[in-house]
Amino acid sequence: MTSGCVFNIQRFSTDDGAGIRTCVFLKGCPLRCAWCHNAEGLSFSPEIACYERNCIGCGACVLACEQNALSIENGRVAIDRTKCISCGKCAQVCPTETLLKIGKNMTVDEVMHTVRRDRIFYGDNGGMTITGGEPLAQAKFALSLAKAAKKEGISVAVETSGHGKTEDLLALAPFCDLFLFDCKASSNDHKKLTGVSDKVIVKNLNALGETGASVILRCPMIEGANINDGFVQKIIKLSMATAAIKKIQLMPYHATGLDKSAILGKTQQRRYVTPSEESLLRLVKEIELKSGKHCFF
Ligand code: SF4
Ligand code: SF4
């Protein structure tokens, strides 16, 4: 049975595709977006999150850790992440859920067990959304999940940065009702802001378009980072050239990623600015007028 690393299964989501969705978050992403709001999705293997403020300093975790990675400092737990092997033994004994293991290996059947429980809420257009992280980075697992859901008549959406092998993306297409495909920055800024060039991504979007897939182009809008004329013109150009793009969704920046980075001991990102409603409305108007496609945020 195919398995993969999952860091969350979020039930009753209304933000990632039509209707009520069960979102399956696959762990691991090859991109490093400057504004990433899902730091748990970056690494491909399990990690230990530490919600330090919950700690009561009981010391149970220190005794459980065979790597000597934990200590109590000023009444609260401290992790030496250079020693931690993410075994999760500390999380098992922590009474306050200060320490949590993020990510676990799951089979398709195990994921589907949760998805099936939500089926009653899906109605006509809800279903499962495979997201991450980057689903194409666990392509075999993502495909097996999509096939399993489709076999049971459950609608499937895939949220992707588009960065992956073209054949993996095309293999998913027959089993997906909707792709939430990211467009993150102008071609000039793409490598600087996400860590990768957009060449493969644009190629993959074009290839997906030829399959007759249904796509919502999702564009993060981060004031002080990616919003510029080059980005807006790219959104318009791609939308005009790709019949598969049915709608364009602007995704205003929110700062929740900062806290998530901190609990995983990752370097704090810069705090960006959420664009004003007025400037988003201006962008919506320009994109709709020039692309002829419905744009919203
Ligand atoms: S995950 Fe394992 S190695 Fe890491 S701190 Fe906890 S018990 Fe120690
Ligand atoms: S077991 Fe939990 S509450 Fe107790 S010291 Fe460790 S992290 Fe803090």
Side-chain angles (χ1 to χ4, degrees), residues 227-283:
I227 302 178
N228 54 41
D229 193 50
F231 184 36
V232 176
Q233 295 315 315
K234 178 180 167 184
I235 295 168
I236 293 166
K237 199 172 146 198
L238 286 176
S239 304
M240 288 173 73
T242 317
I245 298 175
K246 310 297 180 205
K247 296 177 195 170
I248 303 143
Q249 183 175 13
L250 307 185
M251 316 277 291
Y253 171 78
H254 56 82
T256 50
L258 296 176
D259 286 344
K260 290 189 190 173
S261 290
I263 59 160
L264 290 166
K266 295 186 195 295
T267 318
Q268 282 281 339
Q269 309 165 5
R270 178 181 153 188
R271 181 177 287 272
Y272 288 98
V273 176
T274 306
S276 66
E277 194 166 323
E278 196 187 2
S279 65
L280 286 165
L281 284 169
R282 243 194 333 265
L283 288 167

Side-chain angles (χ1 to χ4, degrees), residues 48 64-67 69-70 79 83-90:
I48 291 294
C65 180
E66 290 161 9
Q67 307 299 318
L70 298 174
I79 305 186
K83 292 182 179 170
C84 174
I85 56 167
S86 301
C87 67
K89 287 180 181 164
C90 53

